[in-house]
């Protein structure tokens, strides 16, 4: 239609160029992302209270989304992932009517004034066994290693590999997805923080940091926080130890 209206003009797709421009965030964009992250963190802080109203994965997703909206979110950034027990081994599990027990992986984000957050927390219903505690500690160490590398002028692949090498050495598994990705008006933006990424990180890029370990016969652990490249600490901060939730 444009070509018919603008006779003799050439229509050029500039999507890739715009995506590249959006990699580096302005101060007001970062403020909005930080607010989205605070709403998400505040909602995660209510998890024990929310779990008293929810017995299944689907019920928890609904209650979590409702709590986020009450906390100031304008929308949910993507379909909330609630994965309990062996379902936690599926990185993009859709909530079911299965009752929540054992490991509980929640991947959840909100939109505030057009900007997204993206966080994952892994909990344990009741007392966690030594394997769950050990896996969580290793995944947390992997995340910390990746975050420490995510500085201006660092290669994105080096950030991924710093985390992946710990998962491989300690748990014998390749990191099956990228360490992270850009975050902004979309929940998945450039740059991708992966083993074959060619990106060099720049000041004020906003990225996720999300290593994980998955075992189909057992479950999984993923920890995800958001950070601004060049800032001294992440916007969000996961607990260093696996949080046990008493549902009594």
């Amino acid at each position: 239609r444009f070509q018919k209206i603008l006779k003799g003009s050439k229509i050029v797709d500039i999507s890739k160029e715009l995506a590249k421009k959006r990699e580096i965030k302005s101060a007001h964009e970062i403020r909005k992302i930080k607010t989205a992250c605070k709403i998400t963190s505040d909602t995660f802080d209510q998890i024990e209270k929310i779990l008293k109203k929810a017995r299944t994965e689907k019920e928890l997703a609904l209650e979590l989304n409702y709590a986020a909206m009450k906390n100031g979110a304008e929308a949910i950034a993507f379909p909330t992932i609630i994965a309990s027990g062996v379902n936690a081994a599926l990185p993009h599990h859709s909530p079911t009517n299965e009752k929540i027990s054992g490991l509980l992986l929640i991947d959840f984000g909100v939109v505030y004034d057009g900007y997204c957050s993206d966080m994952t927390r892994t909990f344990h219903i009741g007392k966690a066994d030594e394997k769950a505690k050990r896996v969580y500690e290793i995944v947390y160490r992997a995340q910390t290693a990746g975050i420490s590398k995510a500085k201006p002028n660092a290669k994105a692949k080096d950030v991924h590999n710093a985390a992946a090498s710990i998962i491989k050495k300690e748990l014998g598994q390749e990191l099956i997805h990228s360490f992270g990705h850009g975050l902004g008006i979309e929940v998945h933006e450039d740059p991708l923080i992966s083993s074959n990424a060619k990106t060099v990180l720049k000041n004020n890029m906003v990225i996720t940091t999300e290593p994980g370990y998955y075992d189909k016969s057992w479950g999984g652990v993923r920890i995800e926080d958001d950070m601004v490249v060049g800032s001294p600490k992440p916007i969000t901060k996961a607990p260093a130890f696996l949080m046990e939730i008493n549902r009594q």
Side-chain angles (χ1 to χ4, degrees):
R1 283 173 61 193
F2 277 126
Q3 283 174 334
K4 286 180 181 178
I5 295 166
L6 304 171
K7 292 178 181 178
S9 298
K10 184 180 178 182
I11 307 298
V12 180
D13 183 356
I14 60 168
S15 301
K16 289 182 180 178
E17 287 78 4
L18 287 175
K20 202 73 182 167
K21 289 285 187 186
R22 281 166 44 194
E23 285 185 356
I24 298 174
K25 304 300 189 285
S26 65
H28 82 273
E29 288 180 300
I30 291 170
R31 282 195 296 272
K32 291 176 182 181
I33 295 170
K34 284 182 175 180
T35 302
C37 288
K38 184 178 187 308
I39 292 168
T40 310
S41 295
D42 289 347
T43 305
F44 270 124
D45 288 345
Q46 298 174 265
I47 189 65
E48 288 190 82
K49 180 181 176 182
I50 294 169
L51 272 166
K52 290 179 181 176
K53 303 175 185 177
R55 291 288 160 181
T56 69
E57 292 176 344
K58 278 188 176 179
E59 288 173 354
L60 181 53
L62 289 168
E63 292 292 344
L64 200 68
N65 293 351
Y66 178 58
M69 301 298 281
K70 287 182 73 176
N71 285 339
E74 70 181 45
I76 304 304
F78 54 91
T80 298
I81 295 170
I82 307 289
S84 174
V86 293
N87 291 339
L90 305 172
H92 297 103
H93 176 69
S94 296
T96 67
N97 288 318
E98 196 166 318
K99 288 188 177 178
I100 294 166
S101 63
L103 286 165
L104 174 60
L105 188 154
I106 303 174
D107 191 340
F108 169 65
V110 307
V111 181
Y112 175 80
D113 202 10
Y115 286 80
C116 300
S117 63
D118 186 4
M119 292 170 60
T120 304
R121 294 289 181 265
T122 304
F123 306 97
H124 197 281
I125 305 302
K127 190 167 179 59
D129 61 21
E130 289 307 310
K131 178 176 179 177
K133 291 178 182 178
R134 176 175 173 269
V135 170
Y136 186 95
E137 186 270 331
I138 292 167
V139 174
Y140 181 83
R141 249 193 307 131
Q143 187 200 36
T144 302
I147 289 171
S148 70
K149 285 277 187 183
K151 296 177 180 178
N153 300 317
K155 294 178 181 177
K157 66 179 182 181
D158 291 344
V159 175
H160 173 96
N161 292 337
S165 63
I166 292 174
I167 301 290
K168 177 70 173 176
K169 180 182 177 183
E170 300 289 343
L171 297 169
Q173 186 180 89
E174 300 292 342
L175 186 49
I176 65 171
H177 51 70
S178 64
F179 176 75
H181 54 80
L183 183 69
I185 59 175
E186 292 180 274
V187 77
H188 287 99
E189 295 189 349
D190 291 338
L192 189 64
I193 315 299
S194 65
S195 60
N196 56 2
K198 293 180 170 47
T199 304
V200 173
L201 299 185
K202 302 295 182 185
N203 245 345
N204 292 340
M205 285 181 170
V206 179
I207 62 171
T208 67
T209 62
E210 50 181 303
Y213 169 80
Y214 310 95
D215 179 345
K216 290 182 179 179
S217 66
W218 175 75
V221 171
R222 182 164 70 251
I223 306 170
E224 179 181 19
D225 285 289
D226 304 332
M227 68 174 290
V228 180
V229 176
S231 291
K233 58 184 180 179
I235 303 170
T236 55
K237 184 66 176 169
F241 301 98
L242 181 60
M243 181 177 170
E244 298 171 336
I245 298 176
N246 186 350
R247 299 192 68 180
Q248 302 301 321

